[in-house]
Amino acid sequence: MSKIRLTKRYTFETGHALYGYDGKCKNVHGHGYKMFVTIIGEPIQDSDHVKHGMVMDFGDLKKIVKEEIVDKYDHAIVFSKNSPHKELGETLKEKGHHVILADFQPTSEMLVLHFADIIRKRLPENIELYSIKLQETETSYAEWYASDND
Amino acid sequence: MSKIRLTKRYTFETGHALYGYDGKCKNVHGHGYKMFVTIIGEPIQDSDHVKHGMVMDFGDLKKIVKEEIVDKYDHAIVFSKNSPHKELGETLKEKGHHVILADFQPTSEMLVLHFADIIRKRLPENIELYSIKLQETETSYAEWYASDND
Amino acid sequence: MSKIRLTKRYTFETGHALYGYDGKCKNVHGHGYKMFVTIIGEPIQDSDHVKHGMVMDFGDLKKIVKEEIVDKYDHAIVFSKNSPHKELGETLKEKGHHVILADFQPTSEMLVLHFADIIRKRLPENIELYSIKLQETETSYAEWYASDND
């Protein structure tokens, strides 16, 4: 059977700041992120299967990414815990905000790489993560592809 | 000469239902499908050729896909003829509706695969079908790539 | 470190005409071009670097493409200097218009190829041009990929 890629789009509103950066992103701010998660596999050929003709149910892909990424990052703020932003994050946490202290600088590049690691582990057998696109603004995005890294 | 990919976008409004599926798509409904057909080839270098500098005239690609897919699927409904939906399709046909009885479950995955088979056969020599993207909703799409299957 | 692709989108309003073509594009007209430039590289891992966590600063990519392409092509008109359109271009230049006399037929295919040649030469070490997408209309685009041509 042929291989088909499936993509599901997500959105989440997340704050961040880049410690030590020489541009505007050093300030606390946020983005309306759009994320496109693409998996690859073969459509199920068993006509008695409830997912007959599908590589994966779009709803199942939606659920995995919602649980692992969207529910955690939406209306939260992400800082590097390896920088003085750690303290700022702790202050915001004390005031009741949702703060993610990441083990990396929260650029689009490092976020998309982190999301790829997380989603890969949650996919069912026979389904591979093909790529993730993380769009920071209408004109800027970062992409991780399995084929660039295997 | 370098190879360049060309893409043309199409839309068609098509009904479907997935027999035996355990979700909302088991019901008769429809989508405003968007389809992106991508071909690859080398731009014509003969300056006396009316298509000088083109891989293929966008208008010629439009015509092929319109004839083979858009004109048939737009404002029609597609069912699997290998399921009890065959009868439902025949009932609708008798009432004057446009019905396509397909030899597969009409998921986005199986539709995009079917469209790839059809379009490949209609392309001129020296032009290859590179990929097709079939977008079912604003947040969900399936893609067939020649490179995933050759 | 993993490789990540980065894309920046640009727009420019440019006139053109295709000499000798057998369709509407033989007439002087224009498009609101959208261009997507994609580069690939590894995010910088040195936490003391001002670009820590970035493959390349989106702002730096923006600047290169703005200088090399957008500032030159926006509100200009492009003709092939190997055709009788050369004279038309010279007439328009005399009247104070911005005219680009290109060494090729200004189709989307040839423009995207030309832009790839220009941008490749301006990228810093360790950064490769991955692809360029040049969108002529909402439904038509041409793409150059390094991987199709190396």
Side-chain angles (χ1 to χ4, degrees), chain A residues 3 5 7-8 51 53 57, chain B residues 21-22 107 140 143 148-149:
Chain A
K3 285 191 170 180
R5 303 182 197 175
T7 299
K8 192 82 193 149
K51 310 299 186 192
D57 192 322
Chain B
Y21 177 57
D22 63 345
T107 57
S140 303
E143 289 170 295
D148 291 336
N149 293 297

Side-chain angles (χ1 to χ4, degrees), chain B residues 118-150:
Chain B
I118 291 171
I119 297 169
R120 279 185 127 170
K121 289 173 193 153
R122 279 291 311 273
L123 293 176
E125 260 191 283
N126 303 323
I127 300 290
E128 281 172 52
L129 183 61
Y130 193 85
S131 62
I132 303 183
K133 172 177 167 179
L134 184 64
Q135 186 161 355
E136 200 176 79
T137 69
E138 278 308 298
T139 64
S140 303
Y141 55 85
E143 289 170 295
W144 172 93
Y145 275 78
S147 58
D148 291 336
N149 293 297
D150 290 337

Side-chain angles (χ1 to χ4, degrees), chain A residues 134-149:
Chain A
L134 184 64
Q135 185 160 358
E136 200 175 79
T137 69
E138 278 309 297
T139 64
S140 303
Y141 54 85
E143 290 171 294
W144 171 93
Y145 275 78
S147 58
D148 291 335
N149 292 298

Side-chain angles (χ1 to χ4, degrees), chain A residues 105-117:
Chain A
Q105 181 80 315
T107 57
S108 289
E109 290 93 323
M110 297 306 290
L111 283 167
V112 78
L113 196 49
H114 179 61
F115 295 159
D117 280 344

Side-chain angles (χ1 to χ4, degrees), chain B residues 1-9 36 38 40 43 45 49-58 130, chain C residues 18-22 105 107-110 112-113 136-145 147-149:
Chain B
M1 190 58 203
S2 298
K3 285 192 169 178
I4 298 291
R5 304 181 197 176
L6 284 192
T7 299
K8 192 82 193 148
R9 192 190 76 185
F36 299 74
T38 302
I40 189 166
Q45 290 308 297
H49 197 296
V50 290
K51 310 299 185 192
H52 177 216
M54 295 182 176
V55 169
M56 184 177 181
D57 193 321
F58 278 122
Y130 193 85
Chain C
L18 303 181
Y19 185 80
Y21 176 58
D22 62 344
Q105 180 80 316
T107 58
S108 289
E109 291 92 323
M110 298 306 290
V112 78
L113 196 48
E136 199 175 79
T137 70
E138 278 308 296
T139 65
S140 303
Y141 55 85
E143 290 169 294
W144 172 93
Y145 275 78
S147 58
D148 291 336
N149 293 298

Side-chain angles (χ1 to χ4, degrees), chain A residues 45-74:
Chain A
Q45 290 308 296
D46 172 6
S47 63
D48 292 331
H49 197 296
V50 290
K51 310 299 186 192
H52 178 214
M54 294 182 176
V55 168
M56 184 176 181
D57 192 322
F58 278 123
D60 294 339
L61 181 56
K62 184 178 178 179
K63 191 171 173 284
I64 288 171
V65 178
K66 189 179 178 297
E67 280 175 16
E68 295 289 342
I69 315 286
V70 179
D71 287 351
K72 290 175 184 163
Y73 278 79
D74 190 36

